[in-house]
Amino acid sequence: LLLLLLLLTFCRSIPHFRGHTHLSAFIDSSSYNFSHRIDKLSFGPEVPGLINPLDGDIATTEKNYYIYQYFVQIVPTKFDTRRQRLDTSQFSYTNQERELNHAAGSHGVPGVFFKYDLSPVKVHIVEVYNPFLGLLVKLCGIIGGIFATSGIIHGLVSFLFDSFLKKASSASQSDDDLLRAKTEQLEMQAKAATAGHM
């Protein structure tokens, strides 16, 4: 079901459900103006909270020979929620617009065109709620992970600190031993020199 409401510049709203229509046959070519507003474009029943990408789209031009093309990719979608089960379709689109000038090689028919393609893939959206117990288990896992990580970091910092202190104390102890040995050597030399003078 294709619901397309185009509001053309001559302020006529056109409900168009299917088929192919050229309105330009009824209008003088010098007064062409394909400025338009798309109030609503949807494929299938409405889904609360789902905003269709072309709803409220406005395109304006001052040129008479202008073409707007919308290439619409329709994806069948199934919604399973607590409130409803619904088969509908979503869509994405790209658009192209250009001025037609047959003298410059830009050919075509002025107007607003929708070309659509149905996707072979169906999207199934399911609303899933985790029970409160699942939340508690996840919180306990997070807290346990924090404690385990802090224990590992504490052990690593303690090991590095202790090894640094041992290295520093052994270096200072060897410096003390060297100083003591030098002092003893100087004392012996001083005793020998005093004993030799006596």
Side-chain angles (χ1 to χ4, degrees), residues 77-89:
T77 307
K78 181 176 184 176
F79 287 92
D80 283 335
T81 65
R82 285 184 172 183
R83 295 182 184 152
Q84 64 182 351
R85 292 177 190 264
L86 186 64
D87 281 314
T88 187
S89 294

Side-chain angles (χ1 to χ4, degrees), residues 56-119:
D57 190 54
I58 297 173
T60 58
T61 182
E62 297 296 322
K63 308 207 170 28
N64 291 352
Y65 282 89
Y66 210 77
I67 184 171
Y68 292 95
Q69 293 175 309
Y70 295 91
F71 303 95
V72 180
Q73 177 74 32
I74 302 169
V75 180
T77 307
K78 181 176 184 176
F79 287 92
D80 283 335
T81 65
R82 285 184 172 183
R83 295 182 184 152
Q84 64 182 351
R85 292 177 190 264
L86 186 64
D87 281 314
T88 187
S89 294
Q90 298 182 78
F91 69 94
S92 62
Y93 78 97
T94 58
N95 67 323
Q96 178 182 2
E97 58 183 76
R98 62 186 167 94
E99 181 180 8
L100 299 175
N101 185 345
H102 297 292
S106 176
H107 301 292
V109 178
V112 179
F113 298 95
F114 290 84
K115 298 177 181 184
Y116 62 92
D117 187 25
L118 295 172
S119 172

Side-chain angles (χ1 to χ4, degrees), residues 30-44:
S30 64
S31 63
Y32 284 172
N33 186 336
F34 289 99
S35 297
H36 60 279
R37 182 180 78 211
I38 302 171
D39 291 329
K40 181 158 194 57
L41 178 63
S42 65
F43 301 91

Side-chain angles (χ1 to χ4, degrees), residues 7-173:
L7 184 61
L8 299 175
T9 55
F10 50 88
C11 297
R12 288 193 49 172
S13 180
I14 302 170
H16 186 255
F17 293 94
R18 65 184 136 179
H20 192 84
T21 304
H22 286 274
L23 297 176
S24 60
F26 307 111
I27 304 170
D28 181 29
S29 63
S30 64
S31 63
Y32 284 172
N33 186 336
F34 289 99
S35 297
H36 60 279
R37 182 180 78 211
I38 302 171
D39 291 329
K40 181 158 194 57
L41 178 63
S42 65
F43 301 91
E46 285 191 48
V47 176
L50 180 67
I51 299 171
N52 294 311
L54 278 172
D55 289 356
D57 190 54
I58 297 173
T60 58
T61 182
E62 297 296 322
K63 308 207 170 28
N64 291 352
Y65 282 89
Y66 210 77
I67 184 171
Y68 292 95
Q69 293 175 309
Y70 295 91
F71 303 95
V72 180
Q73 177 74 32
I74 302 169
V75 180
T77 307
K78 181 176 184 176
F79 287 92
D80 283 335
T81 65
R82 285 184 172 183
R83 295 182 184 152
Q84 64 182 351
R85 292 177 190 264
L86 186 64
D87 281 314
T88 187
S89 294
Q90 298 182 78
F91 69 94
S92 62
Y93 78 97
T94 58
N95 67 323
Q96 178 182 2
E97 58 183 76
R98 62 186 167 94
E99 181 180 8
L100 299 175
N101 185 345
H102 297 292
S106 176
H107 301 292
V109 178
V112 179
F113 298 95
F114 290 84
K115 298 177 181 184
Y116 62 92
D117 187 25
L118 295 172
S119 172
V121 177
K122 184 175 188 175
V123 175
H124 189 182
I125 299 172
V126 179
E127 184 179 34
V128 177
Y129 287 97
N130 290 330
F132 184 69
L133 184 61
L135 174 68
L136 290 178
V137 169
K138 287 180 183 179
L139 284 175
C140 289
I142 290 170
I143 292 170
I146 290 171
F147 277 112
T149 304
S150 64
I152 290 170
I153 291 172
H154 180 263
L156 180 65
V157 168
S158 295
F159 172 75
L160 292 174
F161 189 71
D162 290 345
S163 63
F164 176 73
L165 284 180
K166 284 181 184 177
K167 195 180 269 188
S169 68
S170 66
S172 69
Q173 186 177 12

